[in-house]
Amino acid sequence: MGIMPVAVYSDPDAGTPHVLMAEQAVALPGSTAEETYLSISKLVQAARDCGVDAIHPGYGFLSENPEFARACRDAHITFIGPTPESMAALGDKLHSKDIALAAGVPVVPSTPACLPGDPVAVEFADRWGFPLMVKAAAGGGGRGMRQVNRQADLGGDMETASREAQAAFGDGRMFLERYVANPRHVEIQVLADGSGHTIHLGERECSIQRRHQKIIEETPSPALTPELRRRMGDAAIAVAREAGYVNAGTVEFLLDPRSGEFYFLEMNARLQVEHPVTEAVVGLDMVEWQIRIAGGEPLTLQQEDIQPRGHAIECRIYAEDPYRDFVPSTGTLLRWRPPSGPGLRLDSGVSEGQEVSIYYDSMLAKLVAWSPERDLALRRMEAALSQFLVLGVVTNIPLLRAVVGHAQFQQGEYDTGFLEWNPAVTSPFISGDSRMMARALAAWASRQPVGQASQQAGSDRPVSANPWQSAGQRRLP
């Protein structure tokens, strides 16, 4: 596009790929997110010093912060995203529900904003019964969210969720929402220009989640009929127009697969992590369109121009242990050998030899597989995950392989409770050959002969636990 990008980076990120690739990079002194990527003053000053025309906020940190968008506007720097006013309106989850209702889109019944101990929470629970959902009024991404299954847990769960929301968003307000049993999480991607012209780019299925956070997305959704796809697309456009939305955004819904009814969940006023799957099937560069719209250009695409082709699946590669409650993993990437080939795309911010620190989100990469048919895309993803070599940190790749290869997932018959209802997927399994190698590695790490390593100290009983765990925290050179 003829635009020279300027990257910003914290101290731990000094050697990361985006810094090395950028034509110019500016340091934000510090290590924590609060000192660097969440510092509005530092970012605006860096932009002024470099004389930039615009800031793209990405899809994390300040990407949905209306104060940042307002600070950019005050500094006469274009914010590549929606206006601070629409961002603020949609960022308040309860206000966004009012917008959806005004647009004629159904929502899940909920309380007004409240704090732990508020009588309105008890009244709502008495009316709707349990289970219920507790959610943060000012945030998303699974933070400050709890499922409450009985009256005795309501107060404690609200207090815990409120503290988490306060820490994540600076706002401890909560609301209670009626629980929708076994829903699917389906979202619609929208684009809108400054004149109000709005289109949608189809849906993304996001029901495979851990801790209410997505780990696998695909498009098109196996659950949608053409008629349901049309209705949900129309609803998403209606919400965006009612909010006066400009630029790229995503309207999220809960879908009851039995009745075909759907409910507005929220609208994310930013580019989504999972946008590459949409790009893969519609053949558009969404960031290019974000920049063009922010620059005042009209959206020249019409709804009939959007003709999705094929099927795309995305797996999020995290540095975390899926068999130890998804605890984050840190260390040096001793080996980073992602797969490549036809129909594959990798978006990553790391490289071999890089340190995976404690300071930021544990996502390492997004792996996308495209193919003309869903079953071929699944096979392509299975093969790609099996070839993805990462050493130095624990990743969730084994979990992703288990999900993608699961019969229920391959049939498209799954919902947001998939991991909960399939505990075998989140339980480590070691085949015979892998078990022998694991025993050898465990023996090496403990400096014992292989025969001794196969027994617990002081016991004649063979080890039945995972030998990777029994090897402790040592790392092979």
Side-chain angles (χ1 to χ4, degrees):
M1 297 182 70
I3 299 172
M4 187 187 83
V6 179
V8 292
Y9 63 94
S10 65
D11 292 342
D13 282 349
T16 52
H18 85 282
V19 176
L20 301 177
M21 292 172 66
E23 296 173 70
Q24 183 177 354
V26 178
L28 301 175
S31 296
T32 67
E34 290 73 16
E35 294 173 318
T36 56
Y37 303 120
L38 289 175
S39 175
I40 294 176
S41 60
K42 285 185 179 180
L43 289 166
V44 172
Q45 188 59 51
R48 282 175 166 157
D49 292 344
C50 297
V52 306
D53 303 301
I55 293 178
H56 192 294
Y59 44 71
F61 296 115
L62 295 172
S63 60
E64 286 186 284
N65 188 306
E67 294 306 314
F68 182 44
R70 192 170 288 112
C72 290
R73 186 169 64 187
D74 293 344
H76 306 289
I77 298 169
T78 298
F79 179 84
I80 302 175
T83 66
E85 290 76 21
S86 60
M87 192 184 296
L90 293 166
D92 186 307
K93 303 309 177 187
L94 292 170
H95 192 181
S96 68
K97 285 193 171 194
D98 293 337
I99 292 173
L101 287 171
V105 177
V107 303
V108 180
S110 64
T111 68
C114 58
L115 291 170
D118 196 316
V120 71
V122 177
E123 295 169 4
F124 187 82
D126 289 342
R127 177 181 179 184
W128 293 101
F130 291 89
L132 294 170
M133 295 300 296
V134 174
K135 296 185 177 181
R143 294 177 176 86
M145 184 184 297
R146 294 288 187 281
Q147 178 180 322
V148 186
N149 296 310
R150 52 182 192 153
Q151 182 77 48
D153 297 332
L154 180 60
D157 284 348
M158 286 192 68
E159 289 178 2
T160 301
S162 180
R163 286 195 300 269
E164 186 176 320
Q166 181 66 41
F169 312 115
D171 187 339
R173 294 177 307 140
M174 314 300 300
F175 66 93
L176 267 64
E177 191 174 76
R178 183 171 69 85
Y179 178 75
V180 179
N182 305 320
R184 297 184 78 131
H185 187 149
V186 179
E187 62 189 26
I188 306 291
Q189 177 71 59
V190 298
L191 279 177
D193 65 16
S195 69
H197 175 47
T198 308
I199 63 172
H200 73 82
L201 306 182
E203 81 278 4
R204 292 185 291 259
E205 172 78 57
C206 308
S207 296
I208 302 296
Q209 304 177 4
R210 58 102 169 95
R211 295 177 175 172
H212 305 291
Q213 294 177 323
K214 309 161 190 172
I215 58 172
I216 298 178
E217 301 94 356
E218 65 175 312
T219 186
S221 167
L224 266 58
T225 63
E227 171 60 18
L228 183 54
R229 181 172 293 113
R230 182 195 63 78
R231 288 171 50 211
M232 294 184 74
D234 290 347
I237 290 175
V239 171
R241 286 176 174 163
E242 184 66 30
Y245 196 84
V246 177
N247 216 273
T250 300
V251 184
E252 304 199 11
F253 297 96
L254 287 182
L255 170 66
D256 186 337
R258 292 161 298 280
S259 67
E261 296 301 315
F262 59 89
Y263 306 93
F264 171 82
L265 187 60
E266 62 182 356
M267 183 170 183
N268 292 124
R270 57 174 168 83
L271 191 69
Q272 292 282 85
V273 172
E274 58 273 18
H275 74 276
V277 291
T278 297
E279 292 184 333
V281 298
V282 299
L284 297 178
D285 186 326
M286 286 175 52
V287 176
E288 179 181 352
W289 274 109
Q290 282 193 291
I291 295 170
R292 293 191 182 282
I293 291 170
E297 294 187 28
L299 178 60
T300 55
L301 297 168
Q302 302 300 317
Q303 190 61 59
E304 55 268 23
D305 296 327
I306 307 303
Q307 300 294 331
R309 183 177 67 90
H311 198 98
I313 301 169
E314 174 181 282
C315 287
R316 303 189 188 192
I317 312 298
Y318 283 97
E320 64 183 18
D321 191 339
Y323 309 128
R324 296 178 59 204
D325 199 27
F326 300 98
V327 61
S329 176
T330 60
T332 303
L333 287 173
L334 304 175
R335 292 291 184 273
W336 176 257
R337 307 291 167 82
S340 62
L344 294 181
R345 167 177 169 173
L346 183 82
D347 287 12
S348 173
V350 300
S351 59
E352 192 167 295
Q354 183 176 326
E355 190 75 16
V356 178
S357 73
I358 62 173
Y359 295 111
Y360 315 119
D361 187 89
S362 59
M363 187 169 65
L364 302 176
K366 303 177 295 182
L367 179 63
V368 178
W370 176 93
S371 200
E373 303 291 340
R374 184 176 186 266
D375 60 338
L376 296 177
L378 285 169
R379 276 188 266 172
R380 183 166 280 171
M381 178 60 79
E382 286 185 277
L385 288 171
S386 71
Q387 298 164 13
F388 207 135
L389 174 63
V390 184
L391 296 178
V393 297
V394 179
T395 74
N396 67 332
I397 291 175
L399 171 68
L400 297 171
R401 293 182 64 184
V403 174
V404 173
H406 196 282
Q408 189 176 341
F409 182 81
Q410 296 205 346
Q411 293 164 8
E413 299 293 333
Y414 62 90
D415 54 47
T416 55
F418 178 85
L419 294 185
E420 180 183 355
W421 302 119
N422 292 281
V425 172
T426 54
S427 300
F429 171 78
I430 302 179
S431 66
D433 291 342
S434 298
R435 191 180 300 277
M436 287 296 295
M437 183 176 71
R439 285 176 55 198
L441 289 171
W444 182 93
S446 59
R447 301 299 197 274
Q448 294 177 348
V450 173
Q452 294 180 25
S454 66
Q455 295 183 347
Q456 293 179 351
S459 170
D460 293 329
R461 182 169 57 88
V463 174
S464 59
N466 186 341
W468 292 105
Q469 296 174 344
S470 64
Q473 299 300 314
R474 299 175 180 84
R475 184 184 295 119
L476 300 182

PDB file of all heavy atoms in Angstrom, residues 106-131:
ATOM      1  N   PRO A 106     -32.676 -10.300  19.186  1.00  0.00           N
ATOM      2  CA  PRO A 106     -32.926 -10.873  20.522  1.00  0.00           C
ATOM      3  C   PRO A 106     -31.653 -10.973  21.341  1.00  0.00           C
ATOM      4  O   PRO A 106     -30.550 -11.183  20.817  1.00  0.00           O
ATOM      5  CB  PRO A 106     -33.492 -12.266  20.210  1.00  0.00           C
ATOM      6  CG  PRO A 106     -33.013 -12.583  18.832  1.00  0.00           C
ATOM      7  CD  PRO A 106     -32.932 -11.283  18.110  1.00  0.00           C
ATOM      8  N   VAL A 107     -31.807 -10.803  22.663  1.00  0.00           N
ATOM      9  CA  VAL A 107     -30.692 -10.911  23.600  1.00  0.00           C
ATOM     10  C   VAL A 107     -31.052 -11.897  24.701  1.00  0.00           C
ATOM     11  O   VAL A 107     -32.227 -12.195  24.933  1.00  0.00           O
ATOM     12  CB  VAL A 107     -30.328  -9.541  24.228  1.00  0.00           C
ATOM     13  CG1 VAL A 107     -29.995  -8.525  23.152  1.00  0.00           C
ATOM     14  CG2 VAL A 107     -31.466  -9.029  25.118  1.00  0.00           C
ATOM     15  N   VAL A 108     -30.042 -12.382  25.412  1.00  0.00           N
ATOM     16  CA  VAL A 108     -30.264 -13.264  26.556  1.00  0.00           C
ATOM     17  C   VAL A 108     -30.682 -12.407  27.749  1.00  0.00           C
ATOM     18  O   VAL A 108     -30.044 -11.386  28.028  1.00  0.00           O
ATOM     19  CB  VAL A 108     -28.981 -14.049  26.895  1.00  0.00           C
ATOM     20  CG1 VAL A 108     -29.228 -14.968  28.087  1.00  0.00           C
ATOM     21  CG2 VAL A 108     -28.508 -14.851  25.690  1.00  0.00           C
ATOM     22  N   PRO A 109     -31.759 -12.765  28.472  1.00  0.00           N
ATOM     23  CA  PRO A 109     -32.180 -11.969  29.637  1.00  0.00           C
ATOM     24  C   PRO A 109     -31.057 -11.816  30.651  1.00  0.00           C
ATOM     25  O   PRO A 109     -30.303 -12.752  30.920  1.00  0.00           O
ATOM     26  CB  PRO A 109     -33.341 -12.788  30.215  1.00  0.00           C
ATOM     27  CG  PRO A 109     -33.852 -13.597  29.064  1.00  0.00           C
ATOM     28  CD  PRO A 109     -32.667 -13.906  28.224  1.00  0.00           C
ATOM     29  N   SER A 110     -30.952 -10.604  31.235  1.00  0.00           N
ATOM     30  CA  SER A 110     -29.870 -10.331  32.183  1.00  0.00           C
ATOM     31  C   SER A 110     -30.294  -9.262  33.165  1.00  0.00           C
ATOM     32  O   SER A 110     -31.335  -8.606  33.003  1.00  0.00           O
ATOM     33  CB  SER A 110     -28.607  -9.890  31.446  1.00  0.00           C
ATOM     34  OG  SER A 110     -28.831  -8.669  30.767  1.00  0.00           O
ATOM     35  N   THR A 111     -29.468  -9.053  34.188  1.00  0.00           N
ATOM     36  CA  THR A 111     -29.693  -8.000  35.174  1.00  0.00           C
ATOM     37  C   THR A 111     -29.060  -6.702  34.704  1.00  0.00           C
ATOM     38  O   THR A 111     -28.242  -6.701  33.780  1.00  0.00           O
ATOM     39  CB  THR A 111     -29.070  -8.367  36.527  1.00  0.00           C
ATOM     40  OG1 THR A 111     -27.634  -8.357  36.394  1.00  0.00           O
ATOM     41  CG2 THR A 111     -29.519  -9.721  37.014  1.00  0.00           C
ATOM     42  N   PRO A 112     -29.378  -5.581  35.357  1.00  0.00           N
ATOM     43  CA  PRO A 112     -28.569  -4.372  35.166  1.00  0.00           C
ATOM     44  C   PRO A 112     -27.188  -4.589  35.795  1.00  0.00           C
ATOM     45  O   PRO A 112     -26.936  -5.604  36.452  1.00  0.00           O
ATOM     46  CB  PRO A 112     -29.349  -3.294  35.925  1.00  0.00           C
ATOM     47  CG  PRO A 112     -30.685  -3.882  36.228  1.00  0.00           C
ATOM     48  CD  PRO A 112     -30.513  -5.357  36.260  1.00  0.00           C
ATOM     49  N   ALA A 113     -26.295  -3.639  35.606  1.00  0.00           N
ATOM     50  CA  ALA A 113     -24.977  -3.717  36.235  1.00  0.00           C
ATOM     51  C   ALA A 113     -25.137  -3.724  37.751  1.00  0.00           C
ATOM     52  O   ALA A 113     -25.964  -3.003  38.313  1.00  0.00           O
ATOM     53  CB  ALA A 113     -24.110  -2.537  35.801  1.00  0.00           C
ATOM     54  N   CYS A 114     -24.348  -4.551  38.398  1.00  0.00           N
ATOM     55  CA  CYS A 114     -24.451  -4.660  39.853  1.00  0.00           C
ATOM     56  C   CYS A 114     -23.100  -5.065  40.419  1.00  0.00           C
ATOM     57  O   CYS A 114     -22.176  -5.422  39.684  1.00  0.00           O
ATOM     58  CB  CYS A 114     -25.533  -5.656  40.256  1.00  0.00           C
ATOM     59  SG  CYS A 114     -25.296  -7.332  39.600  1.00  0.00           S
ATOM     60  N   LEU A 115     -23.008  -5.029  41.736  1.00  0.00           N
ATOM     61  CA  LEU A 115     -21.807  -5.442  42.445  1.00  0.00           C
ATOM     62  C   LEU A 115     -22.164  -6.587  43.386  1.00  0.00           C
ATOM     63  O   LEU A 115     -23.358  -6.816  43.683  1.00  0.00           O
ATOM     64  CB  LEU A 115     -21.238  -4.264  43.239  1.00  0.00           C
ATOM     65  CG  LEU A 115     -20.638  -3.125  42.410  1.00  0.00           C
ATOM     66  CD1 LEU A 115     -20.332  -1.919  43.298  1.00  0.00           C
ATOM     67  CD2 LEU A 115     -19.394  -3.587  41.665  1.00  0.00           C
ATOM     68  N   PRO A 116     -21.179  -7.341  43.857  1.00  0.00           N
ATOM     69  CA  PRO A 116     -21.471  -8.439  44.794  1.00  0.00           C
ATOM     70  C   PRO A 116     -22.297  -7.941  45.977  1.00  0.00           C
ATOM     71  O   PRO A 116     -22.036  -6.878  46.535  1.00  0.00           O
ATOM     72  CB  PRO A 116     -20.079  -8.897  45.229  1.00  0.00           C
ATOM     73  CG  PRO A 116     -19.194  -8.555  44.082  1.00  0.00           C
ATOM     74  CD  PRO A 116     -19.739  -7.279  43.521  1.00  0.00           C
ATOM     75  N   GLY A 117     -23.320  -8.705  46.325  1.00  0.00           N
ATOM     76  CA  GLY A 117     -24.192  -8.338  47.435  1.00  0.00           C
ATOM     77  C   GLY A 117     -25.411  -7.542  47.031  1.00  0.00           C
ATOM     78  O   GLY A 117     -26.289  -7.290  47.860  1.00  0.00           O
ATOM     79  N   ASP A 118     -25.500  -7.148  45.767  1.00  0.00           N
ATOM     80  CA  ASP A 118     -26.646  -6.369  45.304  1.00  0.00           C
ATOM     81  C   ASP A 118     -27.889  -7.256  45.296  1.00  0.00           C
ATOM     82  O   ASP A 118     -27.867  -8.359  44.741  1.00  0.00           O
ATOM     83  CB  ASP A 118     -26.358  -5.837  43.899  1.00  0.00           C
ATOM     84  CG  ASP A 118     -27.316  -4.720  43.496  1.00  0.00           C
ATOM     85  OD1 ASP A 118     -28.529  -4.866  43.739  1.00  0.00           O
ATOM     86  OD2 ASP A 118     -26.845  -3.722  42.934  1.00  0.00           O
ATOM     87  N   PRO A 119     -29.011  -6.802  45.860  1.00  0.00           N
ATOM     88  CA  PRO A 119     -30.238  -7.616  45.898  1.00  0.00           C
ATOM     89  C   PRO A 119     -30.757  -8.008  44.519  1.00  0.00           C
ATOM     90  O   PRO A 119     -31.435  -9.032  44.380  1.00  0.00           O
ATOM     91  CB  PRO A 119     -31.250  -6.707  46.613  1.00  0.00           C
ATOM     92  CG  PRO A 119     -30.405  -5.754  47.409  1.00  0.00           C
ATOM     93  CD  PRO A 119     -29.159  -5.545  46.606  1.00  0.00           C
ATOM     94  N   VAL A 120     -30.439  -7.208  43.480  1.00  0.00           N
ATOM     95  CA  VAL A 120     -30.951  -7.518  42.149  1.00  0.00           C
ATOM     96  C   VAL A 120     -30.438  -8.874  41.667  1.00  0.00           C
ATOM     97  O   VAL A 120     -31.132  -9.578  40.923  1.00  0.00           O
ATOM     98  CB  VAL A 120     -30.575  -6.401  41.145  1.00  0.00           C
ATOM     99  CG1 VAL A 120     -29.076  -6.402  40.833  1.00  0.00           C
ATOM    100  CG2 VAL A 120     -31.369  -6.551  39.855  1.00  0.00           C
ATOM    101  N   ALA A 121     -29.249  -9.279  42.121  1.00  0.00           N
ATOM    102  CA  ALA A 121     -28.695 -10.568  41.716  1.00  0.00           C
ATOM    103  C   ALA A 121     -29.519 -11.716  42.289  1.00  0.00           C
ATOM    104  O   ALA A 121     -29.827 -12.687  41.592  1.00  0.00           O
ATOM    105  CB  ALA A 121     -27.240 -10.678  42.162  1.00  0.00           C
ATOM    106  N   VAL A 122     -29.887 -11.599  43.556  1.00  0.00           N
ATOM    107  CA  VAL A 122     -30.688 -12.642  44.197  1.00  0.00           C
ATOM    108  C   VAL A 122     -32.071 -12.719  43.558  1.00  0.00           C
ATOM    109  O   VAL A 122     -32.602 -13.806  43.306  1.00  0.00           O
ATOM    110  CB  VAL A 122     -30.790 -12.374  45.711  1.00  0.00           C
ATOM    111  CG1 VAL A 122     -31.693 -13.416  46.378  1.00  0.00           C
ATOM    112  CG2 VAL A 122     -29.406 -12.387  46.352  1.00  0.00           C
ATOM    113  N   GLU A 123     -32.657 -11.557  43.274  1.00  0.00           N
ATOM    114  CA  GLU A 123     -33.981 -11.534  42.647  1.00  0.00           C
ATOM    115  C   GLU A 123     -33.949 -12.201  41.273  1.00  0.00           C
ATOM    116  O   GLU A 123     -34.866 -12.942  40.907  1.00  0.00           O
ATOM    117  CB  GLU A 123     -34.458 -10.081  42.528  1.00  0.00           C
ATOM    118  CG  GLU A 123     -34.698  -9.402  43.874  1.00  0.00           C
ATOM    119  CD  GLU A 123     -34.917  -7.907  43.732  1.00  0.00           C
ATOM    120  OE1 GLU A 123     -34.949  -7.418  42.568  1.00  0.00           O
ATOM    121  OE2 GLU A 123     -35.032  -7.224  44.765  1.00  0.00           O
ATOM    122  N   PHE A 124     -32.896 -11.932  40.505  1.00  0.00           N
ATOM    123  CA  PHE A 124     -32.780 -12.529  39.178  1.00  0.00           C
ATOM    124  C   PHE A 124     -32.627 -14.047  39.276  1.00  0.00           C
ATOM    125  O   PHE A 124     -33.230 -14.792  38.511  1.00  0.00           O
ATOM    126  CB  PHE A 124     -31.568 -11.916  38.447  1.00  0.00           C
ATOM    127  CG  PHE A 124     -31.438 -12.338  37.016  1.00  0.00           C
ATOM    128  CD1 PHE A 124     -32.172 -11.714  36.020  1.00  0.00           C
ATOM    129  CD2 PHE A 124     -30.564 -13.365  36.653  1.00  0.00           C
ATOM    130  CE1 PHE A 124     -32.048 -12.098  34.684  1.00  0.00           C
ATOM    131  CE2 PHE A 124     -30.433 -13.753  35.334  1.00  0.00           C
ATOM    132  CZ  PHE A 124     -31.187 -13.123  34.333  1.00  0.00           C
ATOM    133  N   ALA A 125     -31.817 -14.487  40.250  1.00  0.00           N
ATOM    134  CA  ALA A 125     -31.608 -15.920  40.438  1.00  0.00           C
ATOM    135  C   ALA A 125     -32.915 -16.606  40.842  1.00  0.00           C
ATOM    136  O   ALA A 125     -33.215 -17.715  40.386  1.00  0.00           O
ATOM    137  CB  ALA A 125     -30.532 -16.154  41.491  1.00  0.00           C
ATOM    138  N   ASP A 126     -33.696 -15.950  41.692  1.00  0.00           N
ATOM    139  CA  ASP A 126     -34.978 -16.519  42.100  1.00  0.00           C
ATOM    140  C   ASP A 126     -35.928 -16.657  40.906  1.00  0.00           C
ATOM    141  O   ASP A 126     -36.717 -17.612  40.836  1.00  0.00           O
ATOM    142  CB  ASP A 126     -35.627 -15.636  43.170  1.00  0.00           C
ATOM    143  CG  ASP A 126     -34.903 -15.716  44.505  1.00  0.00           C
ATOM    144  OD1 ASP A 126     -34.128 -16.675  44.704  1.00  0.00           O
ATOM    145  OD2 ASP A 126     -35.091 -14.812  45.351  1.00  0.00           O
ATOM    146  N   ARG A 127     -35.841 -15.713  39.976  1.00  0.00           N
ATOM    147  CA  ARG A 127     -36.755 -15.736  38.834  1.00  0.00           C
ATOM    148  C   ARG A 127     -36.366 -16.792  37.810  1.00  0.00           C
ATOM    149  O   ARG A 127     -37.226 -17.537  37.315  1.00  0.00           O
ATOM    150  CB  ARG A 127     -36.782 -14.363  38.161  1.00  0.00           C
ATOM    151  CG  ARG A 127     -37.662 -14.338  36.918  1.00  0.00           C
ATOM    152  CD  ARG A 127     -37.662 -12.976  36.257  1.00  0.00           C
ATOM    153  NE  ARG A 127     -38.495 -12.973  35.046  1.00  0.00           N
ATOM    154  CZ  ARG A 127     -38.616 -11.941  34.228  1.00  0.00           C
ATOM    155  NH1 ARG A 127     -37.987 -10.804  34.487  1.00  0.00           N
ATOM    156  NH2 ARG A 127     -39.383 -12.026  33.147  1.00  0.00           N
ATOM    157  N   TRP A 128     -35.058 -16.881  37.475  1.00  0.00           N
ATOM    158  CA  TRP A 128     -34.616 -17.737  36.388  1.00  0.00           C
ATOM    159  C   TRP A 128     -34.041 -19.068  36.840  1.00  0.00           C
ATOM    160  O   TRP A 128     -33.912 -19.999  36.033  1.00  0.00           O
ATOM    161  CB  TRP A 128     -33.580 -17.006  35.527  1.00  0.00           C
ATOM    162  CG  TRP A 128     -34.149 -15.848  34.782  1.00  0.00           C
ATOM    163  CD1 TRP A 128     -34.046 -14.526  35.107  1.00  0.00           C
ATOM    164  CD2 TRP A 128     -34.954 -15.897  33.598  1.00  0.00           C
ATOM    165  NE1 TRP A 128     -34.719 -13.746  34.205  1.00  0.00           N
ATOM    166  CE2 TRP A 128     -35.290 -14.570  33.259  1.00  0.00           C
ATOM    167  CE3 TRP A 128     -35.420 -16.937  32.791  1.00  0.00           C
ATOM    168  CZ2 TRP A 128     -36.064 -14.252  32.143  1.00  0.00           C
ATOM    169  CZ3 TRP A 128     -36.192 -16.623  31.678  1.00  0.00           C
ATOM    170  CH2 TRP A 128     -36.507 -15.298  31.366  1.00  0.00           C
ATOM    171  N   GLY A 129     -33.667 -19.170  38.111  1.00  0.00           N
ATOM    172  CA  GLY A 129     -33.090 -20.413  38.598  1.00  0.00           C
ATOM    173  C   GLY A 129     -31.645 -20.582  38.164  1.00  0.00           C
ATOM    174  O   GLY A 129     -31.048 -19.698  37.553  1.00  0.00           O
ATOM    175  N   PHE A 130     -31.091 -21.749  38.486  1.00  0.00           N
ATOM    176  CA  PHE A 130     -29.695 -22.036  38.185  1.00  0.00           C
ATOM    177  C   PHE A 130     -29.608 -23.158  37.144  1.00  0.00           C
ATOM    178  O   PHE A 130     -30.545 -23.953  37.017  1.00  0.00           O
ATOM    179  CB  PHE A 130     -28.960 -22.423  39.470  1.00  0.00           C
ATOM    180  CG  PHE A 130     -28.805 -21.267  40.439  1.00  0.00           C
ATOM    181  CD1 PHE A 130     -29.794 -21.010  41.389  1.00  0.00           C
ATOM    182  CD2 PHE A 130     -27.699 -20.443  40.385  1.00  0.00           C
ATOM    183  CE1 PHE A 130     -29.671 -19.948  42.268  1.00  0.00           C
ATOM    184  CE2 PHE A 130     -27.564 -19.388  41.271  1.00  0.00           C
ATOM    185  CZ  PHE A 130     -28.552 -19.136  42.213  1.00  0.00           C
ATOM    186  N   PRO A 131     -28.475 -23.202  36.409  1.00  0.00           N
ATOM    187  CA  PRO A 131     -27.292 -22.351  36.473  1.00  0.00           C
ATOM    188  C   PRO A 131     -27.513 -20.969  35.848  1.00  0.00           C
ATOM    189  O   PRO A 131     -28.443 -20.775  35.064  1.00  0.00           O
ATOM    190  CB  PRO A 131     -26.245 -23.136  35.677  1.00  0.00           C
ATOM    191  CG  PRO A 131     -27.040 -23.951  34.718  1.00  0.00           C
ATOM    192  CD  PRO A 131     -28.306 -24.299  35.436  1.00  0.00           C
TER     193      PRO A 131
END
